[in-house]
Amino acid sequence: MLRVASPLPGFGLGMGILLVTLTGVVLLPLAALLGQGILMGPVEISGHLAPARVRAALLLSFRAALVASLFNLVFGLALAWVLTRYRFPGRRLIDAAVDLPFALPTAVAGIALTTLYAPSGVFGQALAPFRISIAYTEVGIWLALVFVGLPFVVRTVQPVIDEIDPEWEEASATLGGSRLRTLRRVVLPVLTPSLLTGFALALARSVGEFGSVIFIAGNLPGKTEIAPLLIVIRLEEYDYDAAAAIGLAMLGISFAMLLFINATQVWTRRRIGHV
């Protein structure tokens, strides 16, 4: 049997490229951070995390990321469904705009959002009579994180929606299923793994987001100051131990959240497989 050579590298070369890249980009930085934590010890790390300013920044970062990712989970699903299932004027333009956060520098996005939602901005002035403030509040942080995280949900869910045969929904309607029941029993079980993947990606991006947030947040210590900004401040003060401690805290919390999401995803796939 004639064997055709693959244009892609073989297992040995491919694994070598993978290990070198993974080591240089992921493992070495993580090892350096963990090594710094081992040198400090748990008592010193706890001391760096004890100030109220640090705890408030960590809580704000993860709370805002979670709220924004949950919003993207719902709105991203609706947007992906409309873009996949319907044809309407301007669809291609909206579909292209979804990828805008990928191409736009985060600092530019933050400046644009601040310009629009600041008290002197177009939307800020329109909301002022209702005493609604967006810029320089936690709501502004949510807005920035929704902007940067939305494409992860949409682009993850779109291919799965495209593979769902509309006949499944028609069969459910024929058997007397309502739209809500069809969504809950037919559509969502298929979409759940991809939704969880998109949610995890959006959450991971939002937790560490910096450029688009610092302009619209106002950066008030204890109120609108995010943990990544506090790390930068500690580095500028040459307090490397404090910066490493905050980074370790973010790493630990992020790992726990992603582990829970992945466990839920595995459980969901197994449940779907048994149905």
Side-chain angles (χ1 to χ4, degrees):
M1 181 178 178
L2 181 62
R3 186 174 181 179
V4 180
S6 172
L8 299 176
F11 175 78
L13 180 59
M15 180 58 70
I17 296 173
L18 171 65
L19 291 177
V20 170
T21 305
L22 184 65
T23 300
V25 176
V26 179
L27 297 182
L28 285 179
L30 288 179
L33 182 60
L34 293 175
Q36 184 70 15
I38 294 173
L39 291 176
M40 287 190 293
V43 176
E44 187 175 351
I45 292 175
S46 300
H48 288 301
L49 300 179
R53 180 182 180 182
V54 177
R55 289 185 278 110
L58 288 170
L59 181 61
L60 174 61
S61 292
F62 285 95
R63 181 176 65 241
L66 185 60
V67 171
S69 299
L70 289 173
F71 178 86
N72 283 332
L73 186 66
V74 178
F75 183 70
L77 171 60
L79 180 58
W81 186 272
V82 170
L83 291 176
T84 304
R85 286 297 182 88
Y86 301 101
R87 299 294 181 268
F88 53 90
R91 172 182 167 275
R92 292 183 179 274
L93 181 61
I94 297 176
D95 189 61
V98 170
D99 294 325
L100 189 61
F102 288 147
L104 193 67
T106 55
V108 176
I111 294 173
L113 290 173
T114 306
T115 302
L116 291 173
Y117 288 96
S120 58
V122 177
F123 296 150
Q125 290 181 348
L127 295 173
F130 303 98
R131 297 183 179 180
I132 299 176
S133 299
I134 303 295
Y136 317 129
T137 67
E138 187 172 344
V139 179
I141 299 176
W142 296 345
L143 182 65
L145 296 183
V146 166
F147 176 80
V148 300
L150 181 62
F152 290 96
V153 178
V154 176
R155 294 310 184 208
T156 304
V157 175
Q158 264 186 312
V160 183
I161 295 177
D162 196 43
E163 293 178 0
I164 297 178
D165 194 337
E167 292 182 358
W168 299 356
E169 302 160 50
E170 295 173 0
S172 176
T174 302
L175 295 174
S178 63
R179 289 188 175 184
L180 182 60
R181 184 177 180 83
T182 300
L183 176 65
R184 184 170 58 89
R185 300 299 297 271
V186 177
V187 177
L188 282 183
V190 180
L191 293 179
T192 297
S194 60
L195 282 172
L196 289 174
T197 300
F199 174 77
L201 292 173
L203 181 64
R205 171 66 187 274
S206 299
V207 166
E209 180 59 27
F210 179 78
S212 63
V213 175
I214 58 172
F215 293 99
I216 198 171
N219 308 320
L220 299 175
K223 295 182 178 180
T224 59
E225 185 180 55
I226 58 174
L229 175 61
L230 191 55
I231 292 176
V232 173
I233 293 174
R234 293 292 180 259
L235 290 174
E236 291 177 345
E237 296 171 348
Y238 301 102
D239 192 352
Y240 300 118
D241 289 345
I246 300 172
L248 284 169
M250 294 190 67
L251 177 63
I253 298 173
S254 299
F255 181 78
M257 295 175 68
L258 292 178
L259 184 63
F260 174 76
I261 295 172
N262 289 335
T264 305
Q265 191 176 31
V266 171
W267 176 80
T268 303
R269 286 176 174 171
R270 289 179 178 176
R271 185 179 179 184
I272 294 174
H274 290 304
V275 175

